[in-house]
Amino acid sequence: RKKLERSSECVVQYVGHTAIFSGTRAQRKKAREYMKWLFEQLEGPVYVDGWEDRDDCTVVDIPSDCIGYITGSRRATLGAMEEEWGVLMFFMNRRDDPKGRGASEKLIICGPERGRRGAELKVMSGVEAKNPGYFTKGLKEKTSDKKGFDTDRLLFRDDELSYSLGKQGTTRKKLEGAAGAIMEYVGMTAFIAGTLTERRRC
């Protein structure tokens, strides 16, 4: 229930066998849709048609050899990311989708933009650790002048990365906390997401 509330930004309460949704029309619609997708997963594979046109969904392609690592035992890793970022995450599959070596699966992340980006970068970091170059091959630095929410990229050398990470990632967490931005390392690339002011501070 809390996962539904945070991802849809709608108040969700159960009274007996009745679910009550409280929020704007858009928030209530999202909460009902998210609940429907959760229940559909009990019956089999779920695919969100038209996700490309939605403003509350981000989809990441995950290589087959990283799916178990990203999911975790009994879905523990995905669950921790959902809790950290206030999003809903699940793998989308059509019944006729190809399986096997070299295939990938689509991980859909639903929720507010900031939470979706944070979870997406965390997933990308995990995949890159297991499969170097998957997301960063040919990637270049990028600095955005957009005032609203956007993402900058910085490329590091080995010695710079270890220094900016700090012991057990403490330096990264301090930078992230002080700036108010999302900061995640994907391989040798630092992704900094937030408003222009937050990104400049970082």
Side-chain angles (χ1 to χ4, degrees):
R1 181 186 62 81
K2 290 178 181 178
K3 182 165 63 178
L4 280 173
E5 279 191 325
R6 292 182 66 194
S7 57
S8 65
E9 300 179 288
C10 176
V11 177
V12 181
Q13 289 290 341
Y14 302 130
V15 179
H17 294 287
T18 304
I20 298 173
F21 305 97
S22 181
T24 65
R25 179 178 292 182
Q27 290 167 343
R28 298 194 311 272
K29 182 182 178 185
K30 286 177 188 175
R32 288 195 298 270
E33 287 175 327
Y34 295 173
M35 181 175 281
K36 173 174 165 278
W37 298 339
L38 285 173
F39 281 128
E40 285 178 349
Q41 289 178 66
L42 300 175
E43 305 296 325
V46 176
Y47 193 90
V48 179
D49 289 312
W51 64 263
E52 302 95 334
D53 301 319
R54 298 181 64 109
D55 65 0
D56 63 329
C57 294
T58 299
V59 170
V60 188
D61 277 311
I62 308 296
S64 58
D65 59 346
C66 295
I67 290 170
Y69 178 70
I70 293 300
T71 305
S73 176
R74 297 186 179 181
R75 210 178 172 277
T77 307
L78 274 186
M81 285 189 278
E82 288 176 328
E83 177 68 25
E84 180 180 1
W85 294 106
V87 294
L88 172 68
M89 305 169 71
F90 59 90
F91 282 97
M92 291 196 300
N93 295 286
R94 287 193 173 99
R95 294 184 186 277
D96 56 351
D97 278 350
K99 302 285 184 184
R101 193 177 183 85
S104 65
E105 289 191 23
K106 294 187 181 302
L107 176 67
I108 189 167
I109 306 169
C110 308
E113 183 178 32
R114 182 177 285 264
R116 291 199 321 270
R117 190 58 170 148
E120 179 188 13
L121 291 173
K122 183 80 77 173
V123 167
M124 288 170 61
S125 179
V127 170
E128 191 74 15
K130 295 283 284 183
N131 197 334
Y134 187 82
F135 288 113
T136 59
K137 187 177 180 181
L139 211 58
K140 296 180 180 178
E141 289 198 349
K142 171 201 160 193
T143 303
S144 170
D145 292 323
K146 181 181 175 183
K147 287 187 176 180
F149 191 86
D150 206 352
T151 306
D152 293 345
R153 292 193 299 264
L154 293 172
L155 270 59
F156 286 132
R157 296 191 301 268
D158 281 336
D159 54 339
E160 293 174 329
L161 181 64
S162 58
Y163 177 75
S164 58
L165 259 174
K167 188 177 180 181
Q168 296 181 328
T170 53
T171 304
R172 180 190 67 80
K173 291 171 185 173
K174 286 177 183 176
L175 286 169
E176 189 178 56
I182 297 166
M183 189 175 188
E184 191 65 61
Y185 296 106
V186 181
M188 301 296 291
T189 305
F191 285 75
I192 303 164
T195 63
L196 181 62
T197 301
E198 291 167 343
R199 284 180 275 120
R200 289 291 181 270
R201 278 201 300 254
C202 215

